């Protein structure tokens, strides 16, 4: 009962933050919903209906915590085929039937089905989906509507479209193409602008605002018609009353045909895979590191898809990009999903007529960028670094998905992966004899440490990974786990990648997750996710220092510091800092340590978001180990954004008799009295008379940094001097 009361109190305490986060997410969901629907040849409003129904139902019935639901990128190609072959009303019937199948998967507790798909095959499928989106929408982005037989034809036509766009002689087409190009540039470079004021409004919403502003400029200032060609403006967006009165008639007459059930199975497959992958990725971002109930989420997504189909909406899936934005803006529970849907309803009620002022190429630019991110060359490079065999799996899945279809593509990826595993191990019997055998033993060691010991034998791949996963999911994340592969002949890339996720999860929840028994295994690459087999002789690669590292090494000698250039992935000392609660640290390097290790400066690489929403950030930070405990707090320079945060429940702590400090600095923390006591005259005057830095305390140490980029040698010296003097003041 007490626990329930605490949850209720916590819910209302975090409500302002979740309302604020839901509002920010809705700014992305509005243009994306319209764009994804039009890319699928569905009415624009159907994407918004999916987001609203999904947000309302999944927030109440779902089993995840900080995910956002709505129309998904991965379904564009399947919906396009379904609507083209079945017709719109029969496509709605297929959407409803796919929702029923999702519901059945949830009741049968088949959320683990996603574990049977190899990671590289899934990446190949996602890349193919990205090319499907990019291939068709690129031409519309440049105001050049064409019809071709398949995706490859659309992709081959891109140079022709670019050439035609350069030689347009009609001003309407020129302005339409410019709207698309400018919107794509905004999408591509917006993430590079590390400015908190700009990033308060997401890139897609900037495109909407600028598009509507452009339209009003010509109407109210220039007193001219919008110069963009009418056929490249959004049309057919009904007002709220029309949406209610024009609910479509669902046609189930084709339910006995093969194309109908082919579409249903494809919609179900992609919906479940995209949702399960997104849930898994967002769980890693959750600041409280909670585990989602994926089977409950599948049931909720199934019900939402059924409701959406009957109302004229698309499939409802869990979406990674919007979920990442939700976490980064303070979303802590499912209410943010509910409020994102609520704000979408408000937007349609108040501004549905304004949406027709948005150029079609501008919305398509958002999807082109999304498609590029899914099929980015960086993804191919990453897969190649894991192993050459992964590249074969990736391209077989990608090509067959493009040429034949999504179901054929992913199944071919599974088959090729299995054949490659047989070839690498030179043994079919290893898999045939052992695939049905229990191969995972787990027990709790009866000693003072009380470790959970997990022994894996025979082989561990995508075929039987679910067994290992079931055991590991049964262990609380604050415990110690040892996974032993000494009796295992083969471990594949999918398993290695998932074990890395468990290591991060246990580390952040206060537990310890260690993998042993792979010292006799070898791999063709040095990537930590590369598959392992019983072959010796590893290669050693020696790296030389870069110009910047050489300069830092000289600086270390001048200051009497210890310098370590190599990458370090064990960064558990950063876990307790609020800044890293929703971020994943890849590694630190170029460490500068004082003799007693009280001050440590380092370059750091971390990421925000996951999958296509992932942004990699590099910075230089200073870690100060303190002699005594101090209150936990975060100190930043106060600006307009911090004043906005006050409305979302983030309270600035004022320091008495230091009015100038309170105006210039934004101070946050739970224990207000202890923080006020800590910020005495000496500490307050120090911050007032020195350059601004982000300073954060976890109670036992301080984290100090300035810009989200690598610091210059001069800035490193200034940061080190600031930290040294700050420690003296606190002491």
């Amino acid at each position: 009962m007490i626990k329930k009361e605490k949850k209720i109190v916590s819910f209302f305490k975090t409500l302002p933050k979740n309302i604020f986060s839901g509002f920010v997410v809705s700014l992305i969901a509005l243009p994306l919903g319209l764009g994804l629907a039009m890319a699928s040849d569905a009415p624009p409003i159907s994407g918004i209906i999916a987001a609203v129904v999904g947000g309302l139902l999944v927030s109440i019935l779902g089993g995840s915590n900080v995910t956002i639901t709505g129309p998904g990128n991965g379904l564009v190609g399947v919906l396009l085929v379904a609507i083209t072959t079945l017709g719109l009303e029969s496509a709605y019937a297929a959407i409803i039937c796919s929702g029923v199948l999702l519901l059945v998967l949830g009741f049968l507790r088949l959320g683990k089905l996603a574990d049977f798909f190899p990671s590289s095959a899934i990446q190949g499928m996602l890349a193919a989906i990205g090319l499907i989106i990019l291939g068709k929408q690129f031409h519309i982005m440049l105001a050049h509507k064409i019809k071709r037989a398949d995706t490859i034809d659309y992709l081959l036509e891109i140079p022709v479209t670019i050439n035609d766009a350069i030689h347009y002689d009609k001003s309407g087409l020129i302005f339409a193409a410019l709207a698309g190009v400018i919107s794509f540039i905004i999408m591509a470079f917006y993430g590079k602008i590390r400015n908190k004021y700009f990033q308060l409004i997401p890139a897609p919403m900037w495109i909407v605002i600028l598009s509507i502003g452009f339209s009003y400029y010509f109407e109210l200032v220039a007193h001219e018609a919008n110069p963009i060609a009418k056929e490249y403006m959004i049309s057919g967006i009904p007002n709220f009353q029309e949406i209610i009165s024009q609910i479509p008639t669902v046609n189930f007459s084709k339910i006995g045909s093969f194309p109908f059930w082919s579409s249903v199975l494809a919609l179900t497959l992609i919906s479940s895979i995209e949702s399960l992958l997104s849930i898994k990725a967002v769980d890693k971002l959750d600041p409280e590191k909670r585990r989602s109930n994926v089977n409950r989420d599948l049931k909720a997504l199934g019900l939402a898809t059924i409701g959406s189909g009957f109302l004229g909406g698309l499939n409802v899936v869990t979406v990674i990009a919007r979920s990442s934005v939700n976490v980064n803006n303070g979303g802590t529970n499912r209410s943010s999903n509910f409020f994102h849907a609520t704000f979408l309803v408000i937007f349609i009620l108040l501004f549905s007529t304004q949406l027709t002022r948005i150029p079609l190429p501008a919305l398509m630019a958002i999807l082109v960028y999304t498609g590029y991110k899914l099929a980015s060359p960086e993804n191919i490079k990453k897969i190649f670094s894991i192993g050459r065999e992964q590249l074969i799996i990736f391209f077989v899945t990608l090509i067959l998905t493009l040429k034949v279809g999504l179901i054929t593509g992913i199944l071919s990826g599974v088959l090729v992966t299995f054949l490659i595993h047989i070839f690498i191990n030179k043994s079919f019997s290893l898999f045939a004899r052992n695939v049905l055998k229990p191969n995972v033993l787990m027990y709790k060691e009866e000693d003072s440490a009380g470790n959970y010991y997990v022994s894996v034998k025979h082989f561990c791949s995508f075929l039987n990974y679910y067994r290992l996963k079931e055991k590991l999911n049964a262990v609380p994340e604050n415990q110690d786990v040892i996974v032993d592969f000494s009796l295992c002949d083969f471990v594949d890339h999918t398993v290695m990648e998932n074990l890395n996720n468990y290591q991060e999860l246990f580390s952040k929840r206060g537990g310890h997750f260690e993998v042993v028994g792979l010292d006799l295994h070898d791999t063709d690459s040095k990537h930590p996710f590369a598959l392992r087999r019983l072959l010796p002789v590893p290669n050693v690669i020696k790296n030389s220092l870069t110009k910047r590292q050489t300069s830092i090494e000289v600086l270390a000698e001048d200051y009497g510091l210890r310098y370590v250039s190599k990458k370090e992935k064990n960064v558990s000392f950063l876990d307790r800092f609020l800044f890293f609660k929703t971020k994943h640290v890849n590694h630190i390097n170029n460490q500068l340590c004082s003799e007693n290790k009280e001050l440590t400066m380092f370059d750091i690489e971390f990421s925000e978001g996951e999958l296509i929403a992932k942004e990699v950030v590099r910075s230089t930070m200073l870690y100060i180990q303190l002699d005594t405990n101090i209150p936990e707090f975060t100190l930043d320079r106060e600006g307009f954004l911090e004043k906005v945060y006050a409305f979302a429940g983030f309270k600035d702590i004022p320091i008495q008799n230091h009015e100038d400090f309170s105006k210039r600095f934004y101070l946050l923390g739970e224990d207000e009295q202890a923080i006020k006591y800590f910020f005495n005259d000496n500490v307050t005057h120090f911050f007032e008379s020195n350059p601004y830095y982000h300073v954060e305390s976890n109670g036992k140490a301080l984290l100090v940094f300035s810009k989200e980029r690598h610091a210059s040698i001069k800035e490193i010296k200034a940061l080190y001097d600031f930290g040294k003097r700050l420690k003296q003041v606190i002491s």
Side-chain angles (χ1 to χ4, degrees):
M1 191 70 180
I2 296 173
K3 193 174 181 181
K4 190 176 180 181
E5 287 176 359
K6 282 184 177 179
K7 281 187 175 180
I8 294 171
V9 171
S10 175
F11 176 83
F12 283 104
K13 186 178 178 182
T14 59
L15 197 59
K17 295 179 183 178
N18 285 292
I19 293 173
F20 177 74
S21 180
F23 172 72
V24 175
V25 172
S26 68
L27 298 181
I28 298 178
L30 180 65
L32 270 181
L34 296 171
L36 288 168
M38 287 186 287
S40 307
D41 274 1
I45 200 65
S46 60
I48 306 299
I49 291 171
V52 170
V53 175
L56 297 178
L57 284 180
V58 179
S59 63
I60 297 168
L61 304 173
S64 53
N65 299 292
V66 288
T67 55
I68 300 294
T69 52
N73 302 312
L75 289 162
V76 169
V78 184
L79 284 167
L80 190 61
V81 172
I83 292 170
T84 304
T85 56
L86 302 175
L88 186 59
E89 292 180 348
S90 293
Y92 287 137
I95 289 170
I96 292 165
C97 289
S98 74
V100 173
L101 286 184
L102 275 177
L103 197 61
V104 171
L105 289 177
F107 276 109
L108 294 177
R109 304 180 67 82
L110 292 177
K112 62 186 178 184
L113 279 176
D115 296 326
F116 288 93
F117 296 104
S119 293
S120 295
I122 290 174
Q123 289 296 323
M125 182 195 71
L126 293 175
I129 289 168
L131 290 175
I132 291 169
I133 295 170
L134 187 151
K136 187 179 180 188
Q137 309 316 321
F138 185 90
H139 305 283
I140 302 175
M141 183 184 81
L142 291 183
H144 191 244
K145 290 182 181 177
I146 59 172
K147 286 282 184 184
R148 294 295 180 269
D150 58 30
T151 300
I152 293 177
D153 291 333
Y154 277 110
L155 291 169
L156 293 174
E157 196 79 15
I158 284 176
V160 177
T161 292
I162 294 172
N163 182 63
D164 288 350
I166 293 170
H167 296 94
Y168 283 155
D169 53 6
K170 293 181 180 179
S171 62
L173 295 180
I174 293 171
F175 275 98
L178 280 173
V181 171
I182 292 169
S183 299
F184 182 82
I185 290 171
I186 291 172
M187 290 298 299
F189 292 100
Y190 187 76
K192 312 286 185 211
I193 304 171
R194 307 303 301 177
N195 184 296
K196 56 188 176 183
Y197 300 105
F198 272 109
Q199 292 190 332
L200 184 62
I201 299 175
M205 199 61 192
W206 273 117
I207 292 170
V208 171
I209 292 169
L210 292 173
S211 298
I212 294 174
F214 178 82
S215 174
Y216 271 114
Y217 169 79
F218 277 91
E219 181 181 322
L220 301 177
V221 180
H223 302 291
E224 296 176 14
N226 192 324
I228 296 173
K230 286 186 178 180
E231 64 267 29
Y232 287 101
M233 297 297 292
I234 293 179
S235 60
I237 296 181
N239 59 39
F240 194 78
Q241 290 76 16
E242 289 172 333
I243 296 171
I244 303 299
S245 63
Q246 296 176 8
I247 292 175
T249 304
V250 181
N251 183 0
F252 285 95
S253 63
K254 297 180 181 178
I255 198 166
S257 66
F258 176 77
F260 182 89
W261 284 105
S262 176
S263 294
V264 170
L265 290 174
L267 288 169
T268 307
L269 178 67
I270 304 305
S271 294
S272 57
I273 290 177
E274 184 171 356
S275 296
L276 292 168
L277 282 176
S278 296
I279 293 166
K280 178 180 170 183
V282 176
D283 277 354
K284 290 163 65 178
L285 301 176
D286 184 0
E288 297 181 33
K289 301 303 166 194
R290 294 161 289 189
R291 287 182 186 173
S292 296
N293 184 331
V294 292
N295 293 308
R296 183 176 170 184
D297 236 33
L298 281 179
K299 295 177 200 173
L301 290 167
L303 278 174
T305 299
I306 294 169
S308 176
F310 275 116
L311 293 173
L314 307 180
N315 289 70
V316 178
V317 300
T318 301
V319 282
I320 182 63
R322 281 153 272 177
S323 300
S324 297
V325 171
N326 179 40
V327 174
N328 289 336
N329 281 279
T332 59
N333 56 50
R334 292 197 298 273
S335 66
S336 56
N337 195 13
F338 179 89
F339 288 115
H340 127 267
T342 305
F343 281 115
L344 283 175
V345 173
I346 294 170
F347 291 154
I348 297 301
L349 273 171
L350 301 179
F351 307 117
S352 60
T353 56
Q354 304 304 310
L355 298 179
T356 56
R357 295 178 180 272
I358 304 170
L360 195 55
L363 280 186
M364 293 306 108
I366 299 172
L367 297 185
V368 168
Y369 180 72
T370 302
Y372 170 77
K373 291 281 279 186
L374 284 169
S376 168
E378 286 296 317
N379 295 341
I380 299 173
K381 184 179 175 183
K382 179 182 174 184
I383 290 167
F384 181 73
S385 71
I386 295 170
R388 288 169 293 180
E389 76 288 340
Q390 303 303 322
L391 211 56
I392 297 171
I393 299 164
F394 174 86
F395 276 114
V396 167
T397 309
L398 185 150
I399 292 167
L400 285 174
T401 300
L402 290 177
K403 291 299 293 180
V404 185
L406 284 158
I407 294 177
T408 304
I410 191 68
L411 291 179
S412 66
V414 171
L415 178 61
V416 168
T417 304
F418 180 59
L419 292 175
I420 286 175
H421 288 178
I422 293 173
F423 176 78
I424 287 173
N425 289 279
K426 296 180 174 59
S427 170
F428 174 74
S429 62
L430 172 66
F431 301 98
R433 286 197 324 264
N434 301 309
V435 69
L436 297 177
K437 292 180 181 177
N439 68 317
V440 182
L441 171 69
M442 183 177 82
Y443 60 89
K444 191 171 184 180
E445 295 175 327
E446 298 297 330
D447 57 15
S448 57
N451 295 323
Y452 284 86
Y453 178 80
V454 184
S455 176
V456 187
K457 58 182 180 178
H458 307 315
F459 76 94
C460 193
S461 76
F462 71 95
L463 291 171
N464 60 0
Y465 167 65
Y466 70 96
R467 293 191 185 121
L468 176 59
K469 184 179 179 181
E470 284 176 354
K471 299 291 186 184
L472 296 178
N473 283 345
V475 181
E477 296 97 332
N478 59 354
Q479 299 294 308
D480 291 354
V481 180
I482 298 171
V483 183
D484 187 355
F485 285 103
S486 57
L487 299 177
C488 194
D489 294 324
F490 176 71
V491 187
D492 81 348
H493 156 52
T494 302
V495 175
M496 294 302 299
E497 185 175 356
N498 281 285
L499 289 175
N500 182 72
N501 295 336
Y502 275 108
Q503 284 178 321
E504 292 176 0
L505 177 64
F506 274 73
S507 176
K508 289 191 175 183
R509 293 297 288 267
H512 181 71
F513 190 100
E514 188 173 353
V515 177
V516 299
L518 290 175
D519 48 337
L520 296 178
H521 295 67
D522 192 33
T523 177
D524 289 335
S525 86
K526 303 304 290 181
H527 197 284
F529 298 167
L531 58 80
R532 317 281 164 163
R533 62 196 186 284
L534 284 170
L535 284 175
V537 197
N539 297 319
V540 179
I541 302 172
K542 185 177 180 181
N543 294 318
S544 57
L545 296 181
T546 64
K547 183 178 178 182
R548 182 172 183 271
Q549 289 175 320
T550 304
S551 300
I552 295 175
E553 191 175 41
V554 172
L555 184 149
E557 292 176 7
D558 293 343
Y559 279 64
L561 303 174
R562 179 171 170 264
Y563 174 58
V564 180
S565 63
K566 68 179 181 180
K567 292 179 181 179
E568 175 61 58
K569 291 182 179 287
N570 182 13
V571 290
S572 57
F573 67 95
L574 295 174
D575 289 346
R576 283 195 58 207
F577 286 105
L578 182 65
F579 184 80
F580 289 110
K581 286 289 184 184
T582 60
K583 299 173 178 65
H584 168 70
V585 180
N586 298 328
H587 63 260
I588 63 172
N589 64 321
N590 295 328
Q591 294 181 68
L592 289 165
C593 304
S594 59
E595 189 176 345
N596 50 14
K597 291 191 176 180
E598 290 184 338
L599 275 75
T600 304
M601 192 151 25
F602 48 83
D603 289 338
I604 184 169
E605 181 182 292
F606 62 90
S607 58
E608 299 173 336
E610 283 292 335
L611 299 178
I612 62 172
K614 189 173 184 177
E615 289 288 344
V616 176
V617 181
R618 296 174 181 85
S619 184
T620 302
M621 298 185 176
L622 175 66
Y623 176 82
I624 306 173
Q625 184 67 47
L626 301 175
D627 302 321
T628 57
N629 290 344
I630 65 171
E632 297 183 11
F633 65 84
T634 301
L635 183 70
D636 262 313
R637 181 176 185 171
E638 181 151 0
F640 172 75
L641 184 58
E642 283 71 29
K643 289 181 172 63
V644 173
Y645 281 162
F647 293 103
F650 298 91
K651 186 182 177 185
D652 184 15
I653 299 173
I655 302 299
Q656 286 185 339
N657 303 322
H658 290 281
E659 201 170 317
D660 182 52
F661 175 87
S662 298
K663 285 180 180 178
R664 290 169 52 198
F665 290 91
Y666 187 64
L667 183 60
L668 285 177
E670 293 290 331
D671 194 343
E672 186 171 330
Q673 292 304 316
I675 292 170
K676 285 182 175 179
Y677 180 78
F678 172 76
F679 275 83
N680 56 33
D681 290 346
N682 287 340
V683 173
T684 306
H685 287 151
F686 175 83
F687 285 115
E688 286 179 328
S689 58
N690 278 283
Y692 292 104
Y693 285 97
H694 173 96
V695 181
E696 186 175 321
S697 162
N698 66 5
K700 296 181 178 179
L702 293 173
L703 185 69
V704 185
F705 65 91
S706 178
K707 299 177 177 65
E708 292 186 346
R709 60 165 175 78
H710 282 163
S712 67
I713 300 301
K714 183 179 179 181
E715 289 170 330
I716 289 174
K717 291 177 181 178
L719 178 58
Y720 183 77
D721 178 66
F722 176 88
K724 192 175 179 180
R725 290 185 292 110
L726 175 58
K727 180 171 172 58
Q728 290 173 350
V729 170
I730 291 174
S731 299

